[in-house]
Amino acid sequence: MEKWAIGVFTSIDAGLGVDLDVAQELGIKTIQIHAPQKSSRNQESADKILAKLKDYGIEVTCVFGGFEGESYADIPTTQKTVGLVPPETRAARTAEMKDIADFANMLGCKCIGLHIGFIPHDTNDPQYSQVVAVAQELCDHCGAMGQTVNLETGQESADGLLQFIGDVARENLKVNFDPANMILYGTGEPIEAVKKVGHHLGSVHCKDAKWAANPGQEWGQEVPLGEGDVDIEAYLRTLKLVGYEGPLTIEREIPQEPDRQKTEVGHAVTLLNGLKTKILG
C-alpha cells in the first residue's frame, strides 16, 4: 500500500459512513468499515463484500464496532452510553467486539477499532481496573488472529490515553487518532496530542471541527475538512514527524444528506491529495 493512501469511513448496512459505491466513484482505494449488523457477520457475507471490494480495487484497513444503545446526543449522555465502559452492557458488548473481530478476520482485516468510552480519570476507581481488564481480554482475543485493537481518540486527553495504554500493557493496543474528536470533546489540542501518542498510532481519521464556547461541557461543531480548527496541513506534517505512513481515512458523518456527504468527501480527497504532494513531494 502506498504511503498515506487516501481512505474513507464506509458502511454496508449500518452506521454513518459513506456508501461503498460512493467510495469507488471517488477513486478511494482504502476503507475503514463500520461493522455490519450481527446477522451479516458470517463467511457468506464476508465473501460477498470481498468480491465487491476486489471488483472496486478497494482494501479494508480497519473494521469498527459500535453498539445498540449508544447515544452521542450530548457529552453526559455519551459518557453514560458509549463503548465498553458502562458496566451494565460491558460483558455483552465485549462479546460483540470479539464477534466483530472474528468477522474482520473473515475479511482478512488485521485491525478493529472502537470508542472504548469515557475511561475513569481516577486510576484507583474500581471501574478503571475493570476496563483495563476488558481491554486486555479483547486484545488477547484479537492478538491470537494477529489483529490490532485501535482506540478512537476523543474521550480521553493524550495523557489519559497514554496512561491507559501503559496499564493495559498489550503490544497490539493502538490508537486511531481523530483530530476533530479532540476538539469536539474538548479534550486537548490535536496537534500536541498527536506528538504525545504518535508512537502508538495504528490508524488515523481526517476530520475537522470547531471548538465549543465551553469545551468539554458542550459539543464542538463538526465541519468539512479544511474549514475547522484542526489545521489539516499542520496535522499531516505532524503525522510525518511521528513516522505515521498508513492510510489517511476521511470521516464525514452526515448520512442523512448523501449528496452533501459525497461532495464534501470529494473535496476532502482533493485537499488531502494536494497536501500529500506538498508534504511528501
Side-chain angles (χ1 to χ4, degrees):
M1 189 191 297
E2 67 171 302
K3 188 173 177 178
W4 286 2
I6 307 295
V8 69
F9 192 87
T10 59
S11 180
I12 297 166
D13 63 3
L16 300 164
V18 304
D19 190 87
L20 265 184
D21 295 337
V22 173
Q24 189 244 357
E25 205 180 317
L26 293 170
I28 303 284
K29 295 300 177 196
T30 75
I31 55 168
Q32 291 184 349
I33 199 162
H34 189 277
Q37 293 164 11
K38 189 167 178 57
S39 58
S40 301
R41 290 183 221 138
N42 54 54
Q43 192 62 58
E44 187 186 352
S45 292
D47 290 344
K48 280 182 189 165
I49 294 165
L50 285 169
K52 193 170 188 178
L53 292 175
K54 188 178 179 187
D55 229 24
Y56 286 177
I58 292 174
E59 180 184 347
V60 181
T61 59
C62 190
V63 178
F64 261 79
F67 309 105
E68 203 176 314
E70 289 185 316
S71 170
Y72 293 85
D74 51 44
I75 290 177
T77 306
T78 305
Q79 281 180 312
K80 289 192 194 96
T81 65
V82 167
L84 305 183
V85 172
E88 59 282 0
T89 51
R90 189 180 296 146
R93 287 179 176 183
T94 302
E96 185 168 5
M97 274 315 297
K98 290 179 183 176
D99 187 55
I100 287 167
D102 295 344
F103 179 72
N105 198 47
M106 292 175 201
L107 291 172
C109 182
K110 296 302 177 188
C111 169
I112 63 163
L114 77 157
H115 271 293
I116 199 163
F118 279 82
I119 300 160
H121 292 160
D122 179 5
T123 55
N124 294 315
D125 183 329
Q127 292 295 335
Y128 180 83
S129 56
Q130 288 172 28
V131 178
V132 166
V134 96
Q136 290 170 330
E137 186 185 329
L138 181 58
C139 284
D140 292 344
H141 180 87
C142 292
M145 296 182 282
Q147 293 172 324
T148 62
V149 177
N150 293 7
L151 300 182
E152 172 100 2
T153 52
Q155 290 142 3
E156 271 65 52
S157 66
D159 291 334
L161 198 53
L162 287 173
Q163 173 79 47
F164 183 72
I165 290 169
D167 290 340
V168 174
R170 292 295 187 271
E171 287 294 316
N172 63 329
L173 186 61
K174 304 285 183 187
V175 172
N176 182 83
F177 194 90
D178 186 319
N181 281 354
M182 304 300 290
I183 291 171
L184 291 169
Y185 286 88
T187 43
E189 287 284 352
I191 307 301
E192 290 311 307
V194 176
K195 289 175 187 171
K196 285 186 176 179
V197 303
H199 55 299
H200 294 292
L201 293 188
S203 51
V204 303
H205 282 165
C206 290
K207 191 166 91 184
D208 214 338
K210 292 184 175 179
W211 290 96
N214 300 295
Q217 294 169 51
E218 57 195 28
W219 285 124
Q221 179 197 358
E222 188 184 334
V223 295
L225 201 69
E227 293 181 18
D229 295 326
V230 167
D231 188 343
I232 296 301
E233 182 171 342
Y235 175 54
L236 295 189
R237 289 191 182 280
T238 310
L239 290 179
K240 184 184 178 190
L241 182 74
V242 300
Y244 178 78
E245 297 187 351
L248 304 175
T249 303
I250 298 158
E251 186 184 19
R252 188 69 180 111
E253 299 182 342
I254 42 170
Q256 67 283 5
E257 298 180 67
D259 292 341
R260 183 178 152 215
Q261 186 179 45
K262 179 179 171 180
T263 300
E264 291 184 6
V265 169
H267 284 315
V269 171
T270 304
L271 175 64
L272 290 175
N273 274 322
L275 289 171
K276 202 172 141 179
T277 303
K278 185 177 175 182
I279 296 164
L280 299 181

